[in-house]
Amino acid sequence: MTVELMGIQINNCTFEEGVNIGMDLIASDKVSQVVTINPEMYNESNINESFTQILHEAELVIPDGVGIKIALMLKGINAQRIPGVDFAKRLLEECAKKSYPVAIVGSKEEVITKAVQNLQNTIPNLNIAYYHNGYFDNNDEIYEKLNQSGAKLILAALGSPKQEFFIYNAKKILHPCLMIGIGGSLDVWSGAVKRAPKIFQKLGLEWLYRTISQPERFKRIFPTLPLFLLKVITYRGK
Ligand code: UDP
């Protein structure tokens, strides 16, 4: 089931349902895009029509971040938050079980190398057929390598909106697969950035923990979240 938030359709599903949809898309005969939507993406969509188009065309849009959950609550919708980092990890595990090759693009060389090592050590039978850091000039070269890898799941950690454009442009070029923009997930999997303790995650307060431990994030979160919620309240579209 999808719910509409300021003109964008968001899949309102449980974590498990999302995983099932993701695995069905992987098994389908097209290239699909997952967007883990957050308030910053709505801001981008306000100033960038091409980005809005990507959000409209994405096969799966899941509510990452507590901001989207609160926004939907204001509309009387109780949505389950699906953190992109957990969602992507779970799909890696499911692909490993099915012996599907996967590929990862993004982050600095030392970060992706360490993340790949950690993933391979923790997920039995994971086949990472290709990976590359996120600092390249020629997208076509990377698309070519991704195609050669035969990866059924491709994770792109290039920051937003870069990763969403990278994935969208790949849709016309790649063999059938599922692609997800995973933001800073490789930084977490490499061990460079610590996740919040479980209790913060459970209460949906991961953002609070991160703000306390990385005060420079405050600047980023603080104006964005209240302004986003104000827009949700005053939105006069359908
Ligand atoms: N990144 C990248 N290439 C770029 C820009 C960013 O690989 O051209 C990586 C960066 O190293 C980091 C990840 O993208 O690992 C997420 O970046 P950021 O925290 O800026 O994005 P957000 O999580 O806010 O979407």
Side-chain angles (χ1 to χ4, degrees):
M1 191 184 81
T2 63
V3 292
E4 186 262 314
L5 184 65
M6 292 195 288
I8 306 296
Q9 296 295 326
I10 299 178
N11 289 71
N12 182 15
C13 54
T14 64
F15 187 88
E16 288 305 317
E17 285 163 353
V19 170
N20 288 338
I21 297 171
M23 292 311 288
D24 286 348
L25 289 170
I26 289 180
S28 80
D29 58 0
K30 61 175 189 171
V31 186
S32 308
Q33 176 162 19
V34 179
V35 174
T36 63
I37 199 162
N38 59 32
E40 281 106 339
M41 290 187 182
Y42 272 92
N43 286 351
E44 181 64 26
S45 138
N46 284 340
I47 53 169
N48 185 343
E49 261 179 47
S50 318
F51 189 70
T52 310
Q53 193 58 28
I54 293 178
L55 297 180
H56 285 313
E57 289 185 33
E59 280 67 20
L60 182 59
V61 179
I62 55 174
D64 194 354
V66 75
I68 302 292
K69 186 175 163 68
I70 298 173
L72 289 171
M73 257 162 65
L74 292 173
K75 293 183 51 132
I77 300 163
N78 183 17
Q80 188 178 332
R81 224 193 110 216
I82 303 185
V85 58
D86 297 331
F87 185 71
K89 178 104 179 267
R90 176 64 187 281
L91 286 186
L92 287 174
E93 288 164 0
E94 294 300 319
C95 284
K97 283 185 207 154
K98 289 193 176 306
S99 304
Y100 289 160
V102 304
I104 310 178
V105 175
S107 299
K108 294 185 190 125
E109 183 62 27
E110 64 273 21
V111 173
I112 189 164
T113 309
K114 187 77 188 129
V116 161
Q117 216 175 41
N118 288 346
L119 289 168
Q120 262 160 347
N121 287 340
T122 49
I123 304 178
N125 301 320
L126 180 64
N127 174 8
I128 301 178
Y130 174 71
Y131 69 91
H132 196 285
N133 69 57
Y135 296 88
F136 48 83
D137 297 322
N138 189 340
N139 282 9
D140 290 334
E141 262 173 39
I142 303 290
Y143 292 148
E144 176 72 29
K145 295 274 198 246
L146 289 170
N147 253 335
Q148 284 166 7
S149 76
K152 301 288 289 167
L153 172 67
I154 298 172
L155 308 180
L158 304 171
S160 190
K162 196 173 177 182
Q163 61 196 17
E164 278 72 35
F165 280 99
F166 176 80
I167 292 174
Y168 184 76
N169 293 327
K171 280 172 121 176
K172 295 161 227 114
I173 302 172
L174 292 194
H175 62 270
C177 64
L178 180 72
M179 302 185 81
I180 314 180
I182 57 167
S185 301
L186 293 177
D187 298 279
V188 173
W189 296 336
S190 73
V193 170
K194 290 259 168 302
R195 283 294 300 271
K198 279 269 168 340
I199 181 74
F200 281 83
Q201 292 182 35
K202 265 221 165 75
L203 295 172
L205 293 176
E206 207 161 341
W207 59 274
L208 179 65
Y209 178 83
R210 270 192 253 134
T211 309
I212 298 165
S213 51
Q214 296 170 266
E216 67 281 4
R217 283 184 69 93
F218 187 72
K219 279 204 244 91
R220 213 172 106 181
I221 290 182
F222 182 68
T224 310
L225 190 55
L227 285 178
F228 169 69
L229 294 176
L230 190 68
K231 268 197 203 124
V232 171
I233 294 167
T234 54
Y235 183 73
R236 285 287 165 265
K238 79 176 172 63

